[in-house]
Each structure stands twice: as C-alpha cells, then as structure tokens.
C-alpha cells in the first residue's frame, strides 16, 4: 500500500501511530477535508513532525480556487484560537440542493468581496494554525448545552484522546434521571489494549485543560464505538447506549458523617443520584 488518504472524520496522532505500526515507511499518509457541496477543500500529507502534536492533524492549505474563513463561535475576538464554523468561498460550489430552496437559503450566500463567488456554510468546525494550515475538529451540530453552558464536544473528545491509555472517546449529553434536572454530560471511552484509566484519573487530566462545565459527570467504558454504514461515529447509537449503561459514578464518595450530610444537600438541590467528595 503506497498511500492512505483519510477524510470525513478528525484525524488524531493515534491514527498516525496506527499507520506507522501497520504499514511500511514508504507508505504515505494523507488527510483531506471535503464536502459534497464544494468537493475537496484542503489536502495535505502528514509528516513525522505533525504526529508529535497533541492536537488534531492538519488538513492542509485551502485548494486552488477556494478561500476559507472561520466564523468564531460567539463572534470575533471571543476565542484566541478562532475556532468556529468554516465558511467556503469559491466559484466552484454546488448550484444548490434539489428542490430545497429552504436549504439553499441557509447554506449559500453571495460573496460580497468577490464577484461571481459564493459562500457555503460548511457546518464544519476548525481553525487556522500558526503555519496557516487548516485544522478540522468536528461538526458544529455536535455542540450541546449543559446547565446553561454551550459546550463543544469536539474539545472534550480531543482532551480525552490525549490521555494515555484512551484510544477513542465520544462526549454526549443524556437526560438526567430526575426530569427536573438538566441534561448530564457523559463521556464514552474505549481503552487502548489492556490499559485501564480510572474515572478519577480521567477527570483529573481533563481539569488541567478544560473548564468545570466541560468535565463529564459520568464516564462509560465501551469495548468499541458504534459507527454508521459510512464508517463515521454513530452518535445516536452512543447516546442510546449512554441511557442504557450504568455510568461510573463519583470516584470518591463521601466518607464522614458531615460529608454525607453535605452531599445529600447537593443531591437534592442538583437532582443527582450521587455526589462525590
């Protein structure tokens, strides 16, 4: 096998490690971003230096005839890395969706800065690195709301995959058992080989890089993450699994009488089954 070309899902250093493990040094690894409405948006070869980055692999520089801008979530200046929805500017875009003018209106607009060009709202999230290359981190429709906070699950999943011993991870929301309580953030993880990482270790690692509202309330281990017929992560199936599975509760339950009394107060106020120390 002389080359492997990946596209459609975020590519991580662990994917590069698998390529190195199973294929010869002469086999090249490529990553690209494409959309039915725009064809190939960006494309690049993954080299050894990229594999050492603790972040997703780049998808490269925009292709000839394509200009990409990023519309930051929350407006300009709110995110120093300018993560947001990718806007594709080009003359080479689809004329529209078959008999769906409502979708056309939401997805396509004229480019005011370039006569004859149009803009396509891709629904993909990403950012430009310092080197000018584009990085794809997931879909905008993977954002969820937990206790009033809008959360980008791709950020959580990136942090989970960076933890040694975790091969893959997906963050989803699920309704709390008490109907009065808000949805809960659940992380579904698959360990690498025989590795096992405790919930306490996972949460501790996440707290180094994520704010409190992005720390999963529950952690579920799965032998494998279900995928769709096209090979993409099946989030609907994972969300259903999160409802069925018994999630791992607090790593450190209350011990003393006073801790139990305080925990009971918080359980009542937050409508939670369990509260850790």
């Amino acid at each position: 096998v002389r080359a492997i070309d990946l596209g459609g899902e975020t590519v991580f250093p662990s994917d590069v490690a698998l390529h190195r493990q199973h294929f010869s040094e002469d086999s090249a690894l490529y990553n690209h971003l494409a959309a039915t409405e725009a064809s190939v948006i960006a494309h690049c070869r993954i080299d050894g230096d990229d594999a050492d980055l603790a972040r997703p692999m780049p998808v490269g520089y925009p292709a000839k005839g394509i200009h990409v801008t990023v519309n930051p979530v929350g407006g300009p200046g709110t995110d120093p890395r300018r993560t947001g929805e990718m806007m594709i500017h080009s003359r080479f875009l689809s004329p529209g969706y078959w008999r769906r003018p409502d979708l056309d209106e939401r997805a396509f607009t004229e480019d005011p800065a370039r006569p004859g060009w149009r803009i396509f709202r891709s629904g993909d999230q990403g950012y430009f690195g310092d080197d000018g290359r584009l990085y794809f981190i997931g879909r905008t429709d993977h954002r969820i709301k937990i206790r009033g906070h809008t959360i980008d699950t791709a950020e959580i999943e990136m942090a989970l995959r960076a933890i040694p011993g975790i091969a893959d991870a997906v963050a989803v929301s699920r309704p709390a058992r008490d109907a009065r309580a808000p949805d809960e953030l659940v992380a579904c993880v698959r360990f690498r080989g025989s590795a096992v990482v405790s919930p306490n270790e996972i949460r501790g690692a996440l707290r180094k890089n994520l704010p409190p509202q992005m720390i999963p309330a529950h952690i579920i281990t799965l032998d494998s993450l279900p995928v769709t017929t096209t090979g993409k992560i099946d989030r609907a199936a994972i969300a259903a699994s999160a409802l069925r599975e018994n999630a791992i509760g607090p790593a450190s339950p209350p011990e003393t009488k006073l801790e139990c009394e305080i925990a009971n107060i918080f359980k009542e106020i937050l409508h939670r089954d369990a509260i850790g120390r």
Side-chain angles (χ1 to χ4, degrees):
V1 176
R2 295 189 298 172
I4 295 177
D5 187 13
L6 302 176
E9 290 281 3
T10 309
V11 178
F12 293 92
S14 57
D15 300 312
V16 181
L18 284 174
H19 175 258
R20 289 175 173 173
Q21 177 182 349
H22 294 287
F23 296 91
S24 70
E25 294 181 357
D26 297 331
S27 177
L29 181 64
Y30 293 89
N31 188 22
H32 83 266
L33 176 68
T36 303
E37 298 87 347
S39 190
V40 175
I41 298 168
H43 186 269
C44 72
R45 178 170 178 168
I46 304 297
D47 57 35
D49 294 336
D50 289 321
D52 296 327
L53 299 175
R55 58 182 181 182
M57 296 296 97
V59 292
Y61 301 101
K64 185 178 180 180
I66 289 180
H67 178 71
V68 179
T69 57
V70 173
N71 186 20
V73 177
T78 60
D79 189 338
R81 202 175 54 178
R82 290 188 62 82
T83 299
E85 183 178 10
M86 298 182 195
M87 315 296 282
I88 315 303
H89 306 242
S90 180
R91 291 189 295 115
F92 311 111
L93 297 178
S94 165
Y97 300 101
W98 179 250
R99 294 179 178 176
R100 289 297 305 273
D102 56 323
L103 294 181
D104 293 343
E105 185 176 355
R106 290 204 301 266
F108 296 97
T109 57
E110 297 298 321
D111 189 337
R114 302 171 180 82
W117 286 45
R118 296 159 67 227
I119 303 174
F120 166 59
R121 295 189 59 176
S122 69
D124 292 327
Q125 289 188 90
Y127 62 91
F128 283 99
D130 295 335
D131 56 4
R133 289 186 298 181
L134 192 61
Y135 288 78
F136 166 66
I137 62 172
R139 294 285 299 170
T140 57
D141 51 12
H142 292 168
R143 290 199 297 266
I144 58 178
K145 182 162 285 190
I146 300 291
R147 297 188 182 278
H149 296 278
T150 298
I151 292 174
D152 184 354
T153 59
E155 296 284 344
I156 302 171
E157 291 159 7
M158 285 166 49
L160 285 166
R161 290 188 182 98
I163 299 175
I166 294 182
D168 210 350
V170 174
V172 297
S173 64
R174 74 174 186 184
R177 290 184 175 87
D178 190 316
R180 299 170 296 171
D183 290 350
E184 299 173 324
L185 181 60
V186 179
C188 298
V189 301
R190 177 174 65 85
F191 294 134
R192 190 183 309 280
S194 59
V196 176
V197 187
S198 73
N200 198 33
E201 292 173 318
I202 293 174
R203 293 189 180 99
L206 293 179
R207 288 191 184 99
K208 296 177 181 178
N209 301 302
L210 299 177
Q213 67 269 19
M214 298 180 75
I215 306 301
H218 302 283
I219 296 172
I220 295 173
T221 58
L222 299 176
D223 294 332
S224 62
L225 299 181
V227 296
T228 65
T229 54
T230 58
K232 295 186 178 183
I233 296 294
D234 191 340
R235 291 178 176 272
I238 291 175
S241 177
L243 286 173
R244 295 192 304 267
E245 297 284 344
N246 292 321
I248 300 172
S252 302
E255 296 177 356
T256 67
K257 179 180 179 181
L258 178 58
E259 289 178 356
C260 291
E261 291 176 352
I262 295 174
N264 287 334
I265 294 172
F266 275 97
K267 283 196 294 185
E268 181 179 355
I269 293 174
L270 300 178
H271 311 294
R272 294 277 295 275
D273 292 333
I275 293 290
R277 297 182 70 188

